[in-house]
Amino acid sequence: MAGYLLGGDGYSVLGDPVRTLTNLSGYGPKPDTGFSCSNLGYAVLGETLARVDGRDYPTALRERVLTPLGMEHTTVRTTPGTPDSAIPLFHTAGTPVVPWTNPKWAAVGTGTWTTSADLAAFLAANAAPNPPAARALTHTPRAAVADYADRDGHIGLGWQLWNAGGTKVGRHNGLTNGSRAFVAYTSDQRAVVVLANSTCTPTEKIGFGLLDISAPEFDEPQTPHPVLLAFTVLLSAGVPALALLGLVRPRRARFSRPLDRPKALSLPLIAATCWLLALRVGEWGHVPGIFSALGAGLLTATVVESVRRWPSLPTTRGRWPWLRAVTFALPTLPMAALLCTTEVITAQLP
């Protein structure tokens, strides 16, 4: 979970979705639910179709869909990493993330890379008049979608089907680690493809705007919550500043333990971990990068001051040395774990 939240490949640790499904009980929608979106459901469907076809999912997809439609630039990776021509993925500006890759879950979109031209070809095939029977079945309404009842919302086979002010719309959107996508076509022969290499880009709002269709359901705040902005500043610069203060003027730290070697070691470690954590989860699209640079300088000063003071500090201070060890370990161990997780993710970035 830590790796997933910090922008790592959360799907890499998942096993076979069919086996996962057989081990589940007491989960999922109620029996009378007409429609419920499920990534596990798509993954199981993809693996099931592939097994019936007698080939793995990427191969079956290429032979049955991509090649016939001329989608030659669309690929499904079976190993971690990105194609040579791919652009990097970001959570927000300045925060790169690791793309999801897991062949068993490829039907969800993990490891799938495409272009706007290929998706335009896919839309053209789906919107063509007099489509083959199998393709027409994908656009047949299967169940009502309660969230979009005012749009006469229904679900086809993967397609969300709307009636927007008399214009029929077939659409689908998706989001993976560092990317978002939106495709739609209308009954009056218009279509749109929106691809973004950031999870913070409102592709749905952009797409409906290009189609001149009002879609307040997809309104997103233009700036993050002030608490998130303050959290970014605090982690990147505030914690290193407090750590340096705890070393330079330890007598002012009335509510913390006296300065000794365990504290002199834990302060730089905590500051470093918080600074790296801010780099991974901070809202750098809206917080000036000067705070990160300031934090780096304060962190460097904290390390230098800790090394300078080390020879003159006692091993422990206080009545109960064992308690000093506990108070050192409690904040240090989880921080060290986050530090290691962040380093692992950073090493996997393209």
Side-chain angles (χ1 to χ4, degrees), residues 8-337:
D9 186 358
Y11 272 83
S12 63
V13 298
L14 300 182
D16 186 289
V18 177
R19 185 177 296 276
T20 299
L21 185 65
T22 62
N23 293 331
L24 290 178
S25 62
Y27 293 89
K30 297 179 181 179
D32 59 347
T33 301
F35 163 73
S36 179
C37 187
S38 168
N39 273 13
L40 175 60
Y42 273 105
V44 171
L45 177 60
E47 283 297 288
T48 302
L49 292 174
R51 293 184 187 186
V52 171
D53 188 70
R55 296 175 285 189
D56 61 90
Y57 175 82
T59 302
L61 178 68
R62 183 175 62 254
E63 296 296 327
R64 288 186 171 271
V65 179
L66 303 180
T67 298
L69 294 182
M71 300 173 64
E72 59 183 25
H73 298 296
T74 302
T75 182
V76 178
R77 289 186 64 89
T78 57
T79 58
T82 61
D84 293 337
S85 58
I87 56 176
L89 305 181
F90 295 85
H91 165 64
T92 187
T95 309
V97 295
V98 179
W100 291 340
T101 304
N102 188 327
K104 293 292 185 180
W105 290 73
V108 176
T110 62
T112 303
W113 297 81
T114 189
T115 65
S116 56
D118 274 15
L119 287 180
F122 183 73
L123 282 176
N126 280 274
N130 303 317
R135 193 181 305 158
L137 288 174
T138 64
H139 301 269
T140 301
R142 303 287 168 169
V145 181
D147 291 343
Y148 304 119
D150 59 333
R151 304 278 195 176
D152 189 26
H154 285 73
I155 184 72
L157 296 183
W159 287 97
Q160 291 276 0
L161 307 173
W162 277 16
N163 188 329
T167 301
K168 293 183 179 180
V169 180
R171 67 171 185 86
H172 197 82
N173 59 338
L175 181 152
T176 66
N177 213 20
S179 67
R180 284 174 70 165
F182 176 79
V183 295
Y185 70 89
T186 65
S187 55
D188 55 0
Q189 297 300 304
R190 292 179 296 140
V192 66
V193 175
V194 184
L195 298 177
N197 64 326
S198 167
T199 52
C200 293
T201 302
T203 53
E204 298 85 358
K205 189 68 176 178
I206 294 171
F208 279 118
L210 292 171
L211 291 173
D212 198 24
I213 295 176
S214 175
E217 302 93 330
F218 293 103
D219 286 344
E220 299 180 19
Q222 295 185 355
T223 58
H225 194 280
V227 172
L228 297 178
L229 301 178
F231 186 69
T232 301
V233 174
L234 176 63
L235 283 182
S236 60
V239 174
L242 291 174
L244 180 60
L245 182 64
L247 286 169
V248 175
R249 302 294 297 271
R251 293 182 181 179
R252 292 188 178 183
R254 299 178 180 178
F255 301 103
S256 63
R257 64 183 187 271
L259 184 62
D260 52 17
R261 288 187 172 181
K263 185 174 181 179
L265 183 62
S266 63
L267 283 176
L269 178 59
I270 292 173
T273 304
C274 289
W275 183 76
L276 284 173
L277 183 61
L279 290 184
R280 298 299 315 133
V281 302
E283 294 290 346
W284 297 109
H286 300 273
V287 175
I290 187 64
F291 286 101
S292 175
L294 176 62
L298 292 169
L299 177 59
T300 301
T302 301
V303 173
V304 171
E305 183 65 14
S306 177
V307 172
R308 188 184 72 83
R309 283 181 170 268
W310 185 268
S312 62
L313 292 175
T315 303
T316 59
R317 277 181 175 172
R319 300 181 188 179
W320 304 288
W322 64 269
L323 184 59
R324 308 294 290 150
V326 172
T327 56
F328 165 71
L330 285 178
T332 302
L333 292 179
M335 289 293 180

